[in-house]
Amino acid sequence: LRFMENDHSSSGDLCGGTKSWPRILYMYRSLNDHLRDALIQKHLWASNPLSFNDPFDCSIPASNISTPAEATECVEYLLRQMEAPTPAFQAWVRNEASNGRIPFAEDFEKGWRKSLEKAGVVCFTERPDNLLMWAHYASQHGGLCLGFEGLSERLDLQRVQYAKTLPTLKLVDLLPPKDLEATKIRLTSKSCRWAYEREWRFILCETKFSSN
């Protein structure tokens, strides 16, 4: 498994949360098998980010506005993925790239989202007493809130960055090996409207999920 490396960078545009490591982090849980596994098996459920309740979570768009050098990098990557592209096709896409255009740009985004299908996220919060989170994540106040002490010593946790303006990405950022950093940015950036959650995430970039 590959894990995200923590980054404590900050910006004046950020809002909410603490800048220090909380002694205890919490997890709201409904009364289900995931709670049973946490209490009995000591297993924590990693959710696939494509299933998050915020449709904008993990969905920072990648701009197709590129310099000729960036477009060329994308095109050369595209050609390496193709089986025996014709000389005419190679000439056409390289000419497009020389003018800052990326043919088949949507394929880069589709490829990244496909890789996201293999990701898993375990979510924690600094707050055990938030009414909205009790309603959203704990069976409408009928579940539990678990506390975990000293997680920073055992897990490489990422503090979610809440900002008025979300970070910008380009299609070239979705290419290996830069895609790992792009994934981190997308998985740890949220609007200030969610700052009340004060969320921390443990991110697995490659994992497997059951059909459920």
Side-chain angles (χ1 to χ4, degrees):
L1 297 177
R2 293 188 300 165
F3 302 95
M4 292 296 183
E5 294 180 356
N6 203 358
D7 180 1
H8 297 285
S9 60
S10 60
S11 165
D13 192 36
L14 299 181
C15 48
T18 178
K19 294 183 179 180
S20 59
W21 288 96
R23 185 175 65 87
I24 301 176
L25 284 171
Y26 301 91
M27 174 185 291
Y28 292 89
R29 274 284 174 251
S30 298
L31 302 180
N32 55 26
D33 290 343
H34 301 328
L35 175 60
R36 181 201 62 195
D37 288 344
L39 295 176
I40 299 177
Q41 303 295 336
K42 297 183 180 180
H43 292 169
L44 295 181
W45 176 256
S47 301
N48 186 276
L50 295 176
S51 68
F52 286 169
N53 59 347
D54 176 11
F56 301 103
D57 201 342
C58 312
S59 298
I60 297 174
S63 172
N64 191 17
I65 300 176
S66 305
T67 65
E70 292 168 340
T72 296
E73 186 175 348
C74 289
V75 161
E76 294 301 327
Y77 176 82
L78 175 67
L79 291 174
R80 290 195 297 271
Q81 306 308 305
M82 300 179 67
E83 184 175 346
T86 66
F89 179 83
Q90 295 182 52
W92 173 69
V93 294
R94 284 171 173 150
N95 180 67
E96 290 290 294
S98 67
N99 292 294
R101 294 188 292 268
I102 304 175
F104 310 104
E106 65 278 3
D107 289 345
F108 292 93
E109 191 69 56
K110 289 178 181 178
W112 181 85
R113 290 192 66 81
K114 187 173 181 62
S115 69
L116 197 62
E117 295 174 358
K118 303 176 182 179
V121 179
V122 184
C123 301
F124 302 93
T125 176
E126 301 173 18
R127 307 182 63 177
D129 57 357
N130 184 269
L131 293 180
L132 281 177
M133 286 192 284
W134 273 104
H136 292 163
Y137 307 123
S139 301
Q140 298 181 352
H141 301 261
L144 296 178
C145 184
L146 306 177
F148 299 87
E149 189 170 6
L151 279 183
S152 62
E153 300 171 2
R154 289 174 283 169
L155 300 179
D156 189 8
L157 297 168
Q158 307 293 317
R159 180 166 66 94
V160 171
Q161 306 286 334
Y162 302 101
K164 299 174 183 177
T165 303
L166 293 177
T168 57
L169 293 172
K170 292 186 175 183
L171 287 178
V172 70
D173 297 323
L174 305 185
L175 304 182
K178 295 187 290 291
D179 60 326
L180 191 62
E181 180 63 23
T183 298
K184 174 184 173 181
I185 291 173
R186 280 179 160 174
L187 294 183
T188 60
S189 302
K190 298 188 71 171
S191 164
C192 278
R193 295 178 181 273
W194 294 89
Y196 68 88
E197 291 192 340
R198 297 185 187 175
E199 186 178 356
W200 292 70
R201 291 177 170 179
F202 177 58
I203 301 169
L204 299 98
C205 291
E206 295 177 2
T207 187
K208 293 181 179 180
F209 295 89
S210 67
S211 59
N212 183 358

